[in-house]
Amino acid sequence: MRVSRPAVGDGEAPSGQGAVGEARLTRRAALGLGGVTAGVLAAGGAREAFGAHEPRRATPDRPPPTAEQITYEEAELAFRCHGFHLERLDSPITPLGSHFILVHFDIPTLDASGYTITVGGRVRTSLRLSLESLKARPVVKEAAVLECAGTGRSFQHPRAIYVPWFHEAIGVYEYTGTPLRPILEEAGLLEDAVDVVFTGHDEGIDLGVRHRFERGMPLDKAMKDGVILAWEANGQPLLQEHGFPLRLIVPTWYGMQSVKWLKQITVIDHTYQGVENKEVYRLTPSLSDGGRPVQQKAVKSLIRPPGIPDLLTRRRFVERRKQTLEGKAWSGDAPITKVEVSTDDRRTFQPAALGDQISLAWTPWSFEWTPPGPGDFILSVRATDAEGNTQPLEPRWNVQGMAQNMVQRLGVTVQ
């Protein structure tokens, strides 16, 4: 992935605007808006205070990782791409409004009536399938945890510039759809088939390349059980921002593979080299290393925040009595076999009780904690899967800030 000094701060004001418009706000008027505004004006003029209002120029490169606070561009992305509400970890299935959202370009306006997808490439028979014909096929319902590959990006230092996710890039819907494998078999895979490419209706520019969002994956992975074409979530048609009217669901991979607003499926005779596979969504340990593509979700777990929150910091306040800590754990590689909880900021861990895994999604856990007294505590949780994968105690740095699965640190004050 290319990185360079960002050009995004070099925007130009439209003709007739800029300094003239800024001069309308006098220092006396600024005093009526509060001390911060007045102080900025006194120190350096209005341009610094209102720099975020300047339209940004596009850049063909991503900025390099930084130790600074989030940028205006990242704040805008965060508003478009909201996160999961962690208090909803008390539910096996995420309510429709609490699931995380990542929209790469624009949300396309599509109509379910007359909607079709095509299946082509290295197949014997190309197919054009309507949404209604897909619904007439065998129907499955499955819960799947979708997690953005950029999860935890903001915890690593220096921090990669993109959507500034913490722990909230997750969600579990119960999807209704039809398995992909029979569709590919019906089309007739040729002997030289290698990858399957899924293309969405959304289009934009990333890293200087104009393209529809699309992702490729190895044929054997696309043929696995659980990979479906879904048209409903939680018993309702997909929300527009979640891929209406049809999306791919790949339950064991990070969310970028579950392509939304599905337009076409293409089987190819080589490893897919599109921008979203080759340059975006890669685990790259250094600028001199090409890295490897992000695929399966790393093992992870989260605590449902106990007690009540402080509004701004989200620090939790709990009473000095026995507390039932609870949450969820998941992995894209294997079932969860162990969850451990720490109440002393990762110094020691104790085993938690596990519930049954929910469909192809996550495994609930619980832990009884009696605070030793009033004071401040940091709670953490660590999961291990059947392949022996365990969460690290600290972030493992990579250029794009991808797939961070270090243990959560949750500040709690016992009163």
Side-chain angles (χ1 to χ4, degrees), residues 399-413:
V399 174
Q400 296 185 42
M402 293 287 180
Q404 294 291 357
N405 69 325
M406 65 288 168
V407 301
Q408 179 185 12
R409 299 177 68 230
L410 180 65
V412 171
T413 296

Side-chain angles (χ1 to χ4, degrees), residues 236-254:
Q236 300 183 39
L238 293 169
L239 299 177
Q240 292 278 353
E241 61 271 28
H242 282 287
F244 174 87
L246 188 72
R247 75 176 299 174
L248 176 71
I249 296 295
V250 183
T252 58
W253 285 37
Y254 281 104

Side-chain angles (χ1 to χ4, degrees), residues 90 99 172 179 193 319 344 382 386:
D90 62 351
H99 196 291
V172 168
E319 297 178 4
D344 56 9
R382 179 173 65 185

Side-chain angles (χ1 to χ4, degrees), residues 101-135:
I101 293 174
L102 177 62
V103 178
H104 293 85
F105 303 129
D106 286 348
I107 299 171
T109 301
L110 300 170
D111 191 339
S113 176
Y115 188 86
T116 63
I117 64 168
T118 60
V119 181
R122 304 303 298 159
V123 297
R124 285 191 295 273
T125 305
S126 296
L127 305 176
R128 179 175 292 276
L129 303 172
S130 69
L131 182 60
E132 290 307 312
S133 71
L134 289 172
K135 291 181 178 180

Side-chain angles (χ1 to χ4, degrees), residues 39-60:
V40 170
L41 285 171
R47 182 171 296 277
E48 288 80 5
F50 293 99
H53 292 187
E54 296 291 330
R56 300 307 203 240
R57 288 179 178 172
T59 173

